[in-house]
Amino acid sequence: MPSWFRQETCLPAIGPIAALKALIGSPNHAHKGWVWEQYDTQVGADTIRRPGLGAGVVRVHGTKKALAFTSDVTPRYVRANPYEGGKQAVAEAYRNLTACGALPLATTDNLNFGNPEKPEIMGQLVGAIKGIGEACAALDFPIVSGNVSLYNETDGKGILPTPTIGGVGLIADLDGLIAGLPAEGDLALVIGETRGHLGQSALAAEAFGIEAGDAPPVDLAAERRNGEFLRAHGGLVRAAADLSDGGLALAAFELAEAAGLGVTLDSAGIAQLFGEDQARYLVACTAGNAAKLAEAAAAAGVPLATAGSFGGETVVLGGDAAPLAELSQLYRTAFEKSLNLELA
């Protein structure tokens, strides 16, 4: 494995709002409405959560049950550390289902790699499978189907290792669905521990073209504990999102923007705002419910911290700020502009 993957990630100086703009202005993290608006997402009238924010949710017709679906992988992580990257793909799928109140049931894998006759590619494949298997066992999230696509190369150069994990979860009663949006005055809380891991982060890649450092480590015991905690206390939460690419700042912006609200995050630290530590969720709830959640978290030994609040018409990251309208315009047009797909 190349030694530069393991080097310390030291990023050039950047302000929090400039960092957020680098993410939401990139085709990888901009709003993808142009894609799903090309077809009818309401066929059968059972779609409960439309595309655009976390896992999709579809009602089991004629019942109060629903199924949640997601697919996840971060190829940068897998290339840097196939074992941790494989674990992370499963863990992120688990979190996306949990964040909408679903109990993760099963996964399917789609193992996309280059030429396995090359030792480094075979190493990626073996490491990723080991990580995937360990995560599925630890999270009680078995693989029930899948496929493999190998020899994906152009001019002898392989694609990034992309072991995609598709996940399905069950919402036994729609009263347990977490699919709301933040409301004015809601607090923003983070479940899980934040250390500020910037290795292989979306910010490093999008703002500076840097893909160095190790993938974030995945603590599977913490993933399960924190996920079970959120599902058990979902009734206290108005909205939830897992923290992955782009960290806290991107997740908070996406939730706030969908609600047409501003958001204030107290930290000004780039690592705290954009670090991609795993086993974390952002939740929005009233001040009263936040107190109840904090009490429950302390009793369960689950890290919980207040990160800020939702409301107003401005996005404030530490001491840096920009109007929500300006950022929303960038977020909702960057994808089409990057591919010359602007609608008439």
Side-chain angles (χ1 to χ4, degrees):
M1 184 174 297
S3 61
W4 56 269
F5 281 137
R6 293 286 187 257
Q7 292 173 2
E8 185 80 15
T9 305
C10 185
L11 301 184
I14 188 171
I17 292 296
L20 180 61
K21 287 181 176 179
L23 291 176
I24 64 176
S26 75
N28 287 325
H29 303 286
H31 194 264
K32 302 298 194 306
W34 186 92
V35 176
W36 64 76
E37 288 164 1
Q38 306 303 308
Y39 62 92
D40 183 1
T41 61
Q42 297 294 312
V43 174
D46 280 323
T47 301
I48 295 173
R49 193 183 205 190
R50 299 177 63 187
L53 202 62
V57 179
V58 177
R59 179 187 294 107
V60 178
H61 194 73
T63 76
K64 291 194 70 177
K65 297 180 181 180
L67 295 173
F69 304 89
T70 187
S71 63
D72 297 284
V73 69
T74 306
R76 294 187 314 276
Y77 294 172
V78 185
R79 182 175 63 165
N81 189 327
Y83 171 66
E84 291 296 338
K87 287 164 61 180
Q88 191 276 339
V90 176
E92 186 174 349
Y94 179 90
R95 292 197 303 271
N96 269 315
L97 297 173
T98 293
C100 68
L103 173 66
L105 293 181
T107 69
T108 182
D109 61 2
N110 184 8
L111 305 178
N112 304 286
F113 289 83
N115 181 355
E117 297 175 39
K118 297 178 178 179
E120 65 273 20
I121 303 300
M122 179 56 79
Q124 292 172 354
L125 180 59
V126 170
I129 290 173
K130 182 179 179 182
I132 289 168
E134 185 172 321
C136 287
L139 299 175
D140 195 17
F141 197 27
I143 291 177
V144 297
S145 67
N147 71 352
V148 178
S149 178
L150 304 177
Y151 297 94
N152 295 289
E153 292 189 343
T154 300
D155 296 329
K157 183 177 180 180
I159 63 167
L160 287 175
T162 310
T164 306
I165 298 296
V168 60
L170 175 67
I171 300 172
D173 188 313
L174 283 170
D175 290 340
L177 175 68
I178 306 172
L181 293 171
E184 183 78 31
D186 277 354
L187 295 181
L189 309 177
V190 174
I191 297 172
E193 185 177 5
T194 298
R195 296 183 178 180
H197 185 98
L198 289 172
Q200 299 299 327
S201 65
L203 176 63
E206 300 292 355
F208 305 109
I210 296 173
E211 296 187 10
D214 199 359
V218 179
D219 181 336
L220 294 171
E223 291 283 2
R224 183 159 186 164
R225 178 197 66 202
N226 295 354
E228 290 176 346
F229 175 80
L230 176 56
R231 290 197 301 274
H233 297 89
L236 297 173
V237 171
R238 196 191 309 272
D242 93 293
L243 298 190
S244 50
D245 264 7
L248 171 62
L250 183 59
F253 170 79
E254 289 175 343
L255 276 181
E257 197 274 345
L261 293 173
V263 61
T264 297
L265 297 180
D266 299 328
S267 176
I270 292 298
Q272 297 295 305
L273 290 170
F274 296 94
E276 297 179 6
D277 307 284
Q278 301 296 296
R280 295 189 301 156
Y281 300 86
L282 170 66
V283 301
C285 58
T286 65
N289 283 346
K292 296 176 183 177
L293 201 63
E295 182 179 355
V302 171
L304 181 74
T306 301
S309 60
F310 293 94
E313 300 178 351
T314 305
V315 174
V316 181
L317 305 179
D320 209 358
L324 173 66
E326 173 191 327
L327 297 176
S328 182
Q329 173 70 12
L330 172 63
Y331 178 56
R332 290 184 176 264
T333 60
F335 180 77
E336 296 98 308
K337 287 181 178 178
S338 69
L339 300 178
N340 295 317
L341 296 174
E342 292 98 327
L343 298 178

